[in-house]
Amino acid sequence: MDPMIRMIYASRISPNFGPADVHDILNTSRRNNQPLGLTGMLVFADGFFLQALEGARSKINTLYAKILRDPRHNQSAILSYQEIDKRLFGDWSMGYVLSTEKNRSLFLAYSLEARFSPLDLSAKAAENILSELAEHTRRIGPSAASSAASSAPAASAEAA
């Protein structure tokens, strides 16, 4: 039996990336992840993705191989890959957070520069920022998150 894994990776968006691409990624993730038993959270900030994926090792590995072939991602790097006993994002097939003025200070608290660059994060820092962003998203509540998801807001996530 596969162990449960949490993988955190970061990537730079491709030059041809457009606003509809985020919605496509989220819709595809939410549709495909649940039947596979995968959960996670996607962060989009300053031209980068930071994403946590949780689930069976074989399914995470297969999904990451697909992500590496996705032309919307460049310079992808695994920041953390570890066996886990409990999910941090178990209530979402794919939660979502967008950097805005309201949460900007949190992003910058984990940045070496004035711009968020997740490719520079340590494994611990990547897990910490994702945990803090998830807590912030949960506090805004499912109704705020659901209405926010359609308009690319400060934070959104699937209702639990």
Side-chain angles (χ1 to χ4, degrees), residues 9 17-35 38-44 49-53 63 67 70 72-73 92-99 137 145-158:
Y9 78 91
F17 191 85
D21 288 319
V22 171
H23 292 290
D24 180 54
I25 289 169
L26 288 171
N27 290 336
T28 301
S29 297
R30 290 171 175 164
R31 181 180 62 247
N32 295 338
N33 288 357
Q34 187 172 6
L38 300 177
T39 57
M41 184 170 157
L42 177 68
V43 174
F44 181 55
F49 289 116
L50 176 64
Q51 185 169 30
L53 298 167
L63 178 57
I67 290 167
D70 187 331
R72 297 173 291 198
H73 296 270
W92 299 323
S93 60
M94 189 51 58
Y96 175 63
V97 174
L98 175 68
S99 173
T137 301
S146 297
S147 63
S150 61
S151 60
S156 69
E158 278 187 20

Side-chain angles (χ1 to χ4, degrees), residues 9-22 24-25 44-49 67-76 115 119:
Y9 78 91
S11 65
R12 186 182 302 273
I13 63 168
S14 69
N16 298 328
F17 191 85
D21 288 319
V22 171
D24 180 54
I25 289 169
F44 181 55
D46 292 336
F48 290 93
F49 289 116
I67 290 167
L68 289 173
R69 292 189 302 271
D70 187 331
R72 297 173 291 198
H73 296 270
N74 287 321
Q75 299 175 331
S76 186
R115 185 175 172 196
L119 291 169

Side-chain angles (χ1 to χ4, degrees), residues 49-126:
F49 289 116
L50 176 64
Q51 185 169 30
L53 298 167
E54 300 169 326
R57 178 175 50 206
S58 61
K59 292 178 181 174
I60 295 292
N61 292 347
T62 300
L63 178 57
Y64 188 62
K66 287 172 106 173
I67 290 167
L68 289 173
R69 292 189 302 271
D70 187 331
R72 297 173 291 198
H73 296 270
N74 287 321
Q75 299 175 331
S76 186
I78 295 173
L79 304 177
S80 174
Y81 187 95
Q82 62 185 346
E83 288 186 17
I84 57 173
D85 295 322
K86 182 180 176 185
R87 297 173 191 253
L88 289 176
F89 311 102
D91 45 350
W92 299 323
S93 60
M94 189 51 58
Y96 175 63
V97 174
L98 175 68
S99 173
T100 67
E101 290 304 314
K102 289 184 179 183
N103 62 13
R104 190 78 185 144
S105 63
L106 179 59
F107 284 93
L108 295 179
Y110 287 92
S111 300
L112 295 172
E113 302 171 15
R115 185 175 172 196
F116 182 64
S117 177
L119 291 169
D120 297 329
L121 293 175
S122 69
K124 185 70 174 159

